[in-house]
Amino acid sequence: ESSVALSPAGQRAALALGDRLLLHAVPDGRLLADLVDPALGSAAHADLVGAIAFSRTGDRLVSGGVREAKVWRRPRDVRAWEVADAAAATALAASPDGTAIATAEAGRLRVLDAATGTARITIPIPDRSVTALAFADGGRTRVAGDSSGGVGAWSAVDGASLGAFESPQPVRALAVVETGGLLAAAPAADAILAVGGGDAMLRTFRLPDSLPRELLGAAEPGRRFAVSADRRTLAVVGRTGAVRILSLADPAAPRETAAWTLDRGAATSVCLVEGADGRRLATGAADGSISLWDTAGGALTARLGTGARPVAWLAASPDGTRLVSADAAGSVALWRTAGSAAPAGAAGPAALDAVTAVAFHPGRRTLAVAGLAAGVPTIVVRPLDGAAPATALSGHRGAVRT
């Protein structure tokens, strides 16, 4: 014989089984409490519980047995511990197994023992305003996002930095989905990090693939990079015009395959052009010219036109036959990588008064140009053959950078 009662808010259910009284969470079925009368040892009533009911406020439960009724009150202060030296926390997260709590406070991250509140690790994070936290890799990795769009990962065991990357917008929320479900302790390689941005967009990154690995040692200001579609070749152009082509066949040990120096100084933009005739490096210059270089030995194979402004962006079509260039003022030109050094036509819409990024679709003959139209962030998508009109997309709150 049993009785059931549901709390007014529908969040808790009471179940009477014999002389026992059980309290469950309705959303997930968790057992919240096995109510016991201390005078009886392990039971709620000396005899069968015949009826139960919640009060209208939900904070009291009444149970009736043989010639008796008992009222159970929900405790108001159930704090297990309190951290006295904690600054105002800007983000909190619990590990999947419930043994650790991560906090973000002014200038630091901490991992607290969930049972005692003692700090296991404290990590200084100056100049970061953390807005979201999450655990990954079964609780062994902690991920933090900040108001500038930065996303970093640290070991929750020893606090060692595991890497960082930039999301295009301020981070508002983080969630990690492990293989097999939200709470499965799966390898970090199988984790997806979902990042909610300040532009109301949700972006996903794979962990740990999205975390950078050090390839070239200390950063040199002004370097530009381009990577091949198969992620096996990296071009590095220094601020003095020195070019290095690196093989990433073994990412742990990049190998230099070619090196040379540009004849027009530092590059203002770079991209790799991959076609049937091989792989070439395209570099834009401050004088508006575009140069194509053979990545095998550094020979100059073509020079495309000269403009009035520095080439700020370059992108190559997937088949390597076309190249699009843009300057910061909004001028966009389309080039053929073989044949004439004159542009094949204007690639950008006149409506954009500033360009912030360009890209080709990897599988279609379609070009996307991002910029500002009357101050509004806008992306214009157009087919290269002109068979369909261009489509203007808007909705971003900040400039589109990639």
Side-chain angles (χ1 to χ4, degrees), residues 274-330:
E274 303 179 70
D277 57 348
R279 181 175 290 151
R280 290 179 287 175
L281 174 68
T283 61
D287 63 2
S289 65
I290 302 168
S291 304
L292 294 175
W293 310 84
D294 176 19
T295 58
L300 179 65
T301 62
R303 181 153 281 150
L304 308 177
T306 303
R309 302 183 184 91
V311 180
W313 288 272
L314 284 173
S317 62
D319 61 5
T321 61
R322 303 201 182 190
L323 190 68
V324 65
S325 66
D327 62 39

Side-chain angles (χ1 to χ4, degrees), residues 90-92 104 129-133 144-150 170-174 196:
T90 57
L92 292 170
S129 177
V130 174
T131 53
L133 285 172
D146 61 42
S147 57
S148 66
V171 177
R172 295 288 181 261
L174 290 175

Side-chain angles (χ1 to χ4, degrees), residues 61-256:
L61 177 69
V62 62
S63 59
V66 178
R67 294 188 299 276
E68 67 175 359
K70 296 182 179 182
V71 178
W72 309 82
R73 183 174 61 189
R74 183 180 181 182
R76 287 300 182 186
D77 187 354
V78 293
R79 287 176 295 179
W81 46 263
E82 207 174 89
V83 180
D85 64 338
T90 57
L92 292 170
S95 63
D97 61 4
T99 63
I101 297 173
T103 70
E105 303 157 22
R108 68 182 181 181
L109 298 177
R110 295 203 292 177
V111 177
L112 308 178
D113 187 290
T116 64
T118 56
R120 295 179 181 175
I121 304 167
T122 299
I123 305 171
I125 50 165
D127 304 323
R128 276 180 177 264
S129 177
V130 174
T131 53
L133 285 172
F135 279 92
D137 191 16
R140 292 181 289 274
T141 300
R142 182 172 52 173
V143 185
D146 61 42
S147 57
S148 66
V151 179
W154 292 264
S155 168
V157 178
D158 59 13
S161 175
L162 302 177
F165 63 91
E166 294 292 326
S167 184
Q169 294 290 328
V171 177
R172 295 288 181 261
L174 290 175
V176 175
V177 182
E178 313 270 15
T179 296
L182 287 173
L183 301 181
D190 294 328
I192 299 296
L193 175 66
V195 180
D199 57 354
M201 298 288 289
L202 183 65
R203 298 172 175 86
T204 59
F205 302 85
R206 187 172 294 278
L207 295 176
D209 294 351
S210 295
L211 298 176
R213 294 185 293 267
E214 184 175 294
L215 296 176
L216 304 174
E220 173 193 333
R223 282 192 298 191
R224 298 185 180 276
F225 304 89
V227 66
S228 61
D230 62 6
R231 301 295 189 264
R232 296 174 70 86
T233 299
L234 174 69
V236 183
V237 183
R239 59 180 177 179
T240 61
V243 179
R244 297 176 66 200
I245 305 298
L246 302 174
S247 170
L248 302 182
D250 180 2
R255 180 175 55 87
E256 186 177 290

Side-chain angles (χ1 to χ4, degrees), residues 15-82:
L15 175 65
L17 290 175
D19 59 359
R20 298 180 64 195
L21 193 54
L22 307 177
L23 198 62
H24 288 265
V26 172
D28 56 14
R30 286 181 298 114
L31 177 65
L32 298 176
D34 186 346
L35 302 180
V36 173
D37 185 338
L40 300 176
S42 61
H45 284 261
D47 296 297
L48 296 178
V49 181
I52 53 177
F54 279 97
S55 66
R56 285 194 295 179
T57 58
D59 61 346
R60 285 178 170 80
L61 177 69
V62 62
S63 59
V66 178
R67 294 188 299 276
E68 67 175 359
K70 296 182 179 182
V71 178
W72 309 82
R73 183 174 61 189
R74 183 180 181 182
R76 287 300 182 186
D77 187 354
V78 293
R79 287 176 295 179
W81 46 263
E82 207 174 89

